[in-house]
Amino acid sequence: MSKPKAAVFASGTGSNFQAIMEQPDLACDIALLVSDQPVAKVIEKAKNNHVPTVIFQAKDYKDKSAYEEMLADKLIKAGVEWIFLAGYMRIVGETLLKKFEKRIVNIHPSLLPDFPGKDAIGEAFRAGVNKTGVTVHYIDAGIDTGPVIAQAEVAVLPDDTEETLKKRIQRAEHRLYPEVINHLLGK
Ligand code: GAR
């Protein structure tokens, strides 16, 4: 039986994309990589993994619904059923939320609802917490909000720098995200 198809949306380095691709028994096929940043490192990673890419720039469209209509069209044509956000630094709008209801999942580098937004690791570090972590959640129209699916705690050690903490959080992300994807897809 063929596996369900999914797309990964990413704006940056793509270490989570790579971790998903490297999961040996991944329960879906990654059919597309979508990026809003034409020079993002994740695009190179997609090419190396032979994953087709859809690259766009929001400024080329009238508004969010215009580029999301374009994306939805390409996703549906490619047979995509699930969307996994992996460092996609845009708020998903009504168009995609409606067409992929309960099928858009995000990973965030904190124990939500703590530290939403773009600098979760830096904010947790500066706040002096002794633990933080990683959250995988369904998305809604907010910023890093929506029902939590799974979380993993990560200790903040006394001699951590923001950089060492970031590395530990990323290792947790790379373990958790592929695992949760398989769980969601029934593997
Ligand atoms: C990841 O740490 C992800 O959790 C975070 O962006 C990073 C992307 O790294 N996402 C957010 O902060 C969403 N608010 P990657 O490009 O190496 O996967």
Side-chain angles (χ1 to χ4, degrees):
M1 225 175 72
S2 68
K3 295 177 182 179
K5 291 189 168 66
V8 174
F9 281 36
S11 305
T13 308
S15 68
N16 280 285
F17 168 78
Q18 188 62 37
I20 292 167
M21 293 310 301
E22 284 175 10
Q23 178 73 14
D25 58 348
L26 194 69
C28 57
D29 283 327
I30 304 301
L32 279 183
L33 180 275
V34 173
S35 185
D36 62 323
Q37 298 294 332
V39 294
K41 288 197 179 133
V42 69
I43 294 166
E44 203 52 44
K45 291 186 170 73
K47 288 189 177 140
N48 293 339
N49 285 282
H50 310 288
V51 172
T53 55
V54 175
I55 300 159
F56 72 98
Q57 285 189 285
K59 68 175 173 58
D60 296 337
Y61 294 83
K62 184 168 71 81
D63 54 21
K64 192 185 289 281
S65 70
Y67 70 71
E68 289 200 343
E69 286 291 349
M70 175 281 292
L71 292 177
D73 190 52
K74 290 190 191 296
L75 293 165
I76 290 161
K77 279 199 180 112
V80 166
E81 292 175 58
W82 287 84
I83 297 174
F84 299 118
L85 309 181
Y88 179 65
M89 295 305 189
R90 285 188 177 276
I91 298 169
V92 175
E94 282 296 296
T95 306
L96 284 176
L97 281 171
K98 276 200 187 124
K99 291 193 200 243
F100 290 87
E101 207 187 343
K102 298 207 178 77
R103 302 246 163 166
I104 311 182
V105 174
N106 181 41
I107 187 153
H108 183 77
S110 75
L111 296 173
L112 290 172
D114 292 345
F115 310 114
K118 288 188 177 172
D119 186 25
I121 299 172
E123 282 180 23
F125 184 73
R126 289 188 294 277
V129 293
N130 59 18
K131 73 169 189 209
T132 177
V134 175
T135 302
V136 178
H137 64 103
Y138 290 107
I139 62 153
D140 59 19
I143 299 176
D144 300 317
T145 52
V148 170
I149 303 166
Q151 291 186 310
E153 287 186 4
V154 173
V156 184
L157 304 178
D159 59 350
D160 261 338
T161 60
E162 195 178 319
E163 213 33 52
T164 58
L165 176 61
K166 183 177 172 186
K167 287 211 173 93
R168 196 173 312 112
I169 288 179
Q170 284 181 329
R171 280 200 297 275
E173 290 193 319
H174 301 163
R175 269 196 306 271
L176 188 67
Y177 212 1
E179 242 176 62
V180 171
I181 290 173
N182 277 356
H183 178 76
L184 283 174
L185 275 64
K187 199 155 181 171

